Structures are given as structure tokens and as C-alpha cells.
Amino acid sequence: MTQHEDNAPAASGVFRPSRRIFLRGAVAGTAATAGLIATGAGAGTAAAAPGGFPDYRYVKPLLTPSQLKYNPTGEIIFPCIRGVYDRLANPLGRYYLYYAPHDAPGGICLAYGDKLEGPFTEYTANPLVSNNWQPHYKVSHVSSPHVLWNEDVKEMWLYFHGENHTTRLARSKDGITFTYDRTVLTKDMLPAGTTETSYARVFRHDLPARDARYVMLFMVNNQSNRRDVGWGWSKDGRTWTFAQQPLIRHSDVGVNNISGGHLLTRGGSTYVVYHTGKENGGNILITEVGNDFSRRNHLGVFYDSGSAAPENGRAAAPSFGTDRGVPYMVYEAGERLGGSIAVARG
């Protein structure tokens, strides 16, 4: 099973996959015992990526900076796609796509559409969240939006960074108007010498031994200027405990830097996908961590970036969704701070 969206706990308190989970390929035959049904185009197609995941193929760009009204820096990064058609009252479209420029002033932005292959329409009042939100903060930039549907409170929870060493949380009932909540992560919560803790994504995932129901993945940097994937856990998504050592080190997979971690589940296990720098291939890699995060099974390339435009040898910061049963990956395509937001189909 591939976790493309958030999962919800069953009434009994036992964690159950939500209906935003699809089956493909070799695992489709287990549908009867899992109590799930493979639906939509592509069901039954053989999966080719490590771990039995779909073999995602580039389709098209979704957002290009030069075509956006809010375009302070000529670049955008870190897409987060969310299906909202069955969660929000009167949404602008079936899907909300969050993204941001990175360089100052940044700004958390929204586009919306009815299909994951687009088109997406830029929200007219971007940015939703700016770099100056008094009395809470005033920073050079805010960026890297990750929005979690929090089933417990029926809210969209936005995690974002600004500066690069601080991750914050804001909350919304409609996915557009946000209320500031708190700081959830800073470099001071990690070992001395940590310089960056950013690009966080948060997922609903039970860790009973840690009394936790949410997991955070983020980029951690230190004075060596080599980036790893860090992690933390939380009972409520607001108060966090962070591992003092990286979940996945750049040296574990033989590259200089890794970032953009995203949690996926399939076939009864849990995986992290993340990207490398262009100097090390610019691909998205995958590591099996297991449901309790005790494994480190490095499986290699999850998505191989193409040399042609718009990827130009780099794919990064993936976010996943399904559209009528068809799996999609929305991601950065192209040079860092010089590319577009693209979509690939599984």
C-alpha cells in the first residue's frame, strides 16, 4: 500500500488506512485480506520502483514562476498537494497545491485545480503567509510549506520554515486563512553545531513505543555543510521530541547532501523518499525504515531525473496524491531555485 495522503485512526483507536490509499501491481492480490479494493485507471499495472511502488513518469509542468502573478524572486520550491474536495466546505477546487519562493521574502502560496494533471489556478491573494506576521515573527523569508489534514480537529495544519533554522505551525479551517500556532522545531533542539532545521514534512503515523501519533521528517545541516534527513515524533503534532542523530545520513547513501524527506507506506512497511543534489545525480532515493523506524534498508533510486527540460537532471521535494485511483507525484523539476513544479504519473 502506498500512503499518498494522510491516514485516519479508526473509531477503536487502532490506526487504519484511510480511503486515500490505493493498491497496485503485486500487492493487488492482497486486497481481499486487507479489506481494500484497487480502483481507477492503472490498477493492476505492474509496479517497477523499489519497494513495489509505481514507476512514476514525468507528465508536464504545473507551475512555472514566470507565469505567476506573485513572483518576487523568479523561483518556487517545495510543492505540497492535498485533496480537499471531501474535507473542506466549498473549496476552490478538488486539489490544493501549496508552494513558495525560497529567497527573501518567500511567502506561502496556493494554487488550486480539479485534476492532479492540472491546470492549476494561482490564488489571487498570495501569499497566504508572509515573512512578517506580527506579533509572532519578522524574518527574511518563509518557505517550504507542508500541509497536513489533521483529522482529530478537522483542520489544515501548515508547517513552514523561516529562517532556515526554525520550523513553525499555523492552522486553518479552510486551507486559506491561517492562525499562527507556535514554533515546533529550532536548531537549538538538535546537537550543538546544528545550523539548519528546515524543509519539514509531518505525517500521521503511529509509533506506540514512543507514545506518538505523528512523525516529522526534516533537513538537518551542521558546520560540515553536509545535509541529512532528521526526524522527530509527537503525540499531538504540536509538541515534539527529536532524535539527536539523523534518520538517514548523506554518507549512508554515498552522496554530499540529502533533503526533502517524504514518508510512504506499502506492503506492511514504511519508507522514506528524499532527493540528492544535482552533483550526485539529482535523483529521488528511497530507504525502508520499517513501521517502528528501526530499519535502514537503502533501496537506491526511486525516481531517476531526466536530462531534458524541465528536469534538467534534477527532481526534488516530492509530494504524493491520487486522482480517481491514479497515483501522482508532484515535485520540483530543474535546477534548485531555477525550475518549475511538475507532475509525474504512476
Side-chain angles (χ1 to χ4, degrees), residues 56-70:
Y56 290 96
R57 302 296 180 93
Y58 166 77
V59 177
K60 61 189 290 190
L62 294 179
L63 297 175
T64 301
S66 61
Q67 298 175 359
L68 299 173
K69 179 179 179 181
Y70 180 74

Side-chain angles (χ1 to χ4, degrees), residues 19-175:
R19 69 180 183 80
R20 295 171 179 269
I21 297 221
F22 73 99
L23 298 177
R24 288 175 62 92
V27 297
T30 66
T33 56
L36 300 174
I37 300 174
T39 61
T45 302
F53 288 94
D55 184 14
Y56 290 96
R57 302 296 180 93
Y58 166 77
V59 177
K60 61 189 290 190
L62 294 179
L63 297 175
T64 301
S66 61
Q67 298 175 359
L68 299 173
K69 179 179 179 181
Y70 180 74
N71 180 25
T73 58
E75 46 84 20
I76 52 175
I77 66 166
F78 213 78
C80 180
I81 191 72
R82 285 291 172 260
V84 296
Y85 51 89
D86 57 349
R87 290 171 167 170
L88 303 181
N90 303 312
L92 299 173
R94 288 174 58 85
Y95 299 96
Y96 279 8
L97 174 54
Y98 297 89
Y99 63 96
H102 180 269
D103 288 349
I108 308 305
C109 297
L110 171 67
Y112 56 91
D114 290 325
K115 297 180 180 179
L116 286 184
E117 291 193 23
F120 278 85
T121 300
E122 181 184 10
Y123 183 60
T124 56
N126 281 332
L128 307 180
V129 174
S130 77
N131 64 330
N132 186 357
W133 194 345
Q134 298 295 334
H136 310 298
Y137 63 77
K138 183 178 181 180
V139 295
S140 70
H141 75 288
V142 292
S143 193
S144 71
H146 178 83
V147 175
L148 166 80
W149 171 251
N150 190 310
E151 181 67 23
D152 297 337
V153 293
K154 301 295 191 293
E155 291 178 349
M156 305 286 275
W157 284 25
L158 166 67
Y159 297 86
F160 62 103
H161 83 246
E163 307 290 355
N164 287 345
H165 52 64
T166 301
T167 296
R168 309 174 191 274
L169 169 63
R171 301 164 60 171
S172 175
K173 292 291 188 183
D174 63 5

